[in-house]
Amino acid sequence: MKLVIRSEKTAMPSASPEEVGVLLYSGGERGPGGLAIARNYVDEVARLGAPVPQVALDFLTICLGVVAADTFVPRNDAADGWAREFELDVALGDPEPWRELVADLERAFAFLSGDSWSLSFTDGGQDAPKPRRRRKRNRVLDLRDRDSACLFSGGLDSTIGAIDLIAGGRAPLLVSSAGRLDKQAQTAVRRHVGALAPQFALNPAPTTPRGFTRDVSMRTRSLGFIGLGVVAASAVAADVGRTSIDLVIPENGPISLNAPLTSRRIGSLSTRTTHPYLLRALQELLDSVGAPVKLGNPYQFATKGEMVAGCKDSAALSTAAGSTISCGKLQRKAIQCGKCVPCIFRRAAFHHAGIADTTKKGYRYKDLCRALSEPTGRDDVLAMMIACSNGRRTPLRRAVMLGGPLPEDAATRDLMVDVSRRGLGEVASFLRSQGLKC
């Protein structure tokens, strides 16, 4: 499937079955087939109040093009029902620095999504916007005392990341990709945590015509989030006169590595949104084009339970944790299911830390035995039980390696296997407390 990504409607191809046009940064306009994404981004980037390097905006444009392809082309259309073949033609403000990196980009995106990618870049894309001036009438962020940026989803890990940075004397800009439910969680959490830390929050809001079928696997969603973080961190670097700014991506080690729980969840069937291989690949790309951003996950070797127990401001966490959202299957009523993999890791973390789970509205399946008794929707519980059992068919070291390439250093690989083992230990203890055998 060929997708043409443009920021001007006049440069879009006519709608056809062979070629899909997607309009970026378009305000209220849509492409010929009614497809658009990130329509208000450029104006909001200008409200950062600091110049953004063209390479940073072009990186975001590439990331959003990948997210658009992943969203607008259902996996059911693929020959095997999963791995699609994409030809992506993206207009950039300055395509030249990226053309020699095409193979590296394609490899990184294939690892993330499990699809085949063929990328090309052309002129005529969106230029980095001129920053808005700080005036009373302009809603412009004040970045002058910021020293870092931190991805902030409203989840438990990102909340702990923000708390730890602030408690440690850092001054982060919180960066959020905010859908409706995400925004509700972020607003609730910020009442208790980092109220003084400015937040840069945008919603990519993919737009489709009525009746259009989107893909729901969302393997590349985090890429748009990281791209937004790179733009925000670059603005901080420009505003404070630094050559490099940390972009903190808080994620516990077991979920980051995301070793397949069973043999059915190998490869991109298991999400790889913050895998160290992907972050390292993206960092090399950013270094190649001179972006002033350093990606980092300070919790790569910590379990979720260890993050909760070791939070630098336990009082702030205790008031904020109940408002955080971890669920991978959240519904409109914003009640977390309690039985998906992210929910089980969340509940196991509170159990490990000995901290009351005050999740607002509770869980739809507080009792996992009830979830296990239902024929449908129990796959994640069963997978977690198998992964935690002593009789799992795939040894843990092998499973971690199946999740993605690991660093060459043997000591680092051992640390990654060990954090995965400890994470499964937390889950096993929680499952046993629920009366399940593992």
Side-chain angles (χ1 to χ4, degrees):
M1 172 66 72
K2 181 175 183 179
L3 289 93
V4 178
I5 312 297
R6 297 290 185 267
S7 57
E8 293 185 5
K9 193 170 185 178
T10 55
M12 297 290 289
S14 301
S16 72
E18 294 79 24
E19 197 170 76
V20 176
V22 179
L23 201 56
L24 283 181
Y25 312 136
S26 61
E29 291 190 296
R30 303 187 187 187
L35 304 180
I37 191 170
R39 291 189 291 176
N40 67 333
Y41 269 33
V42 172
D43 189 51
E44 292 301 317
V45 168
R47 294 182 189 277
L48 284 166
V52 172
Q54 187 63 49
V55 292
L57 189 75
D58 284 341
F59 178 70
L60 174 61
T61 299
I62 294 168
C63 291
L64 288 171
V66 170
V67 173
D70 188 27
T71 303
F72 297 144
V73 180
R75 289 191 183 272
N76 290 340
D77 292 350
D80 64 355
W82 183 259
R84 300 156 294 186
E85 295 185 4
F86 288 119
E87 183 181 350
L88 203 61
D89 177 9
V90 186
L92 300 177
D94 182 11
E96 195 58 37
W98 298 99
R99 285 177 173 146
E100 63 185 40
L101 301 174
V102 163
D104 296 324
L105 287 162
E106 291 171 349
R107 190 160 43 247
F109 300 154
F111 171 77
L112 178 60
S113 73
D115 302 300
S116 173
W117 296 87
S118 175
L119 304 178
S120 61
F121 303 123
T122 188
D123 295 301
Q126 177 67 49
D127 291 329
K130 184 178 180 180
R132 295 279 185 96
R133 297 181 64 183
R134 293 188 180 95
R135 295 175 176 171
K136 289 184 178 180
R137 288 180 297 176
N138 284 346
R139 184 170 52 87
V140 177
L141 289 171
D142 189 349
L143 307 179
R144 287 172 291 183
D145 62 347
R146 299 298 100 189
D147 63 8
S148 56
C150 178
L151 297 190
F152 177 67
S153 65
L156 186 57
D157 287 9
S158 70
T159 297
I160 293 171
I163 290 173
D164 283 353
L165 283 170
I166 295 168
R170 300 293 297 274
L173 168 66
L174 304 182
V175 183
S176 304
S177 181
R180 181 179 65 84
L181 295 179
D182 297 324
K183 187 175 182 178
Q184 289 175 2
Q186 292 159 14
T187 300
V189 169
R190 288 191 72 233
R191 293 193 187 104
H192 309 292
V193 179
L196 299 179
Q199 182 185 19
F200 180 57
L202 295 180
N203 182 3
T207 304
T208 60
R210 182 171 295 182
F212 189 93
T213 301
R214 302 187 192 186
D215 191 75
V216 296
S217 63
M218 298 297 289
R219 287 296 183 263
T220 66
R221 180 185 178 189
S222 68
L223 197 60
F225 198 1
I226 292 173
L228 192 62
V230 167
V231 165
S234 297
V236 172
D239 207 49
V240 301
R242 296 262 296 273
T243 58
S244 179
I245 286 289
D246 292 334
L247 175 58
V248 179
I249 305 173
E251 185 82 274
N252 71 83
I255 288 294
S256 171
L257 293 164
N258 216 355
L261 300 174
T262 70
S263 59
R264 294 173 57 196
R265 301 189 179 207
I266 292 174
S268 61
L269 296 176
S270 187
T271 57
R272 293 165 157 177
T273 55
T274 59
H275 193 280
Y277 170 80
L278 178 67
L279 295 186
R280 185 167 64 252
L282 296 180
Q283 184 65 69
E284 290 173 356
L285 289 162
L286 294 172
D287 289 345
S288 295
V289 297
V293 180
K294 296 299 179 186
L295 309 179
N297 176 10
Y299 306 102
Q300 185 64 69
F301 304 113
T303 68
K304 201 179 193 81
E306 290 163 356
M307 288 179 66
V308 172
C311 182
K312 294 179 180 179
D313 188 342
S314 57
L317 180 60
S318 66
T319 58
S323 298
T324 63
I325 289 178
S326 303
C327 187
K329 300 177 181 179
L330 199 65
Q331 296 182 342
R332 289 186 177 182
K333 293 183 179 179
I335 301 176
Q336 301 186 70
C337 74
K339 64 175 183 174
C340 67
V341 170
C343 275
I344 292 173
F345 270 100
R346 171 193 180 89
R347 298 174 70 180
F350 289 123
H351 179 77
H352 170 81
I355 295 174
D357 185 347
T358 58
T359 297
K360 290 186 176 180
K361 300 183 181 180
Y363 301 101
R364 284 186 285 125
Y365 286 86
K366 183 177 181 180
D367 181 2
L368 290 183
C369 289
R370 180 171 73 88
L372 194 62
S373 68
E374 297 184 358
T376 59
R378 63 182 182 180
D379 285 359
D380 283 355
V381 180
L382 284 171
M384 292 301 312
M385 292 174 65
I386 293 170
C388 292
S389 69
N390 293 328
R392 62 179 297 156
R393 294 182 179 179
T394 305
L396 184 57
R397 179 175 292 273
R398 175 64 175 160
V400 173
M401 293 177 68
L402 286 171
L406 301 182
E408 292 183 3
D409 179 63
T412 303
R413 292 200 304 270
D414 288 345
L415 289 173
M416 290 178 172
V417 173
D418 191 55
V419 76
S420 296
R421 181 178 293 109
R422 298 197 312 275
L424 287 178
E426 291 177 7
V427 171
S429 177
F430 170 68
L431 294 179
R432 287 193 290 269
S433 76
Q434 287 270 308
L436 300 177
K437 295 180 179 180
C438 59

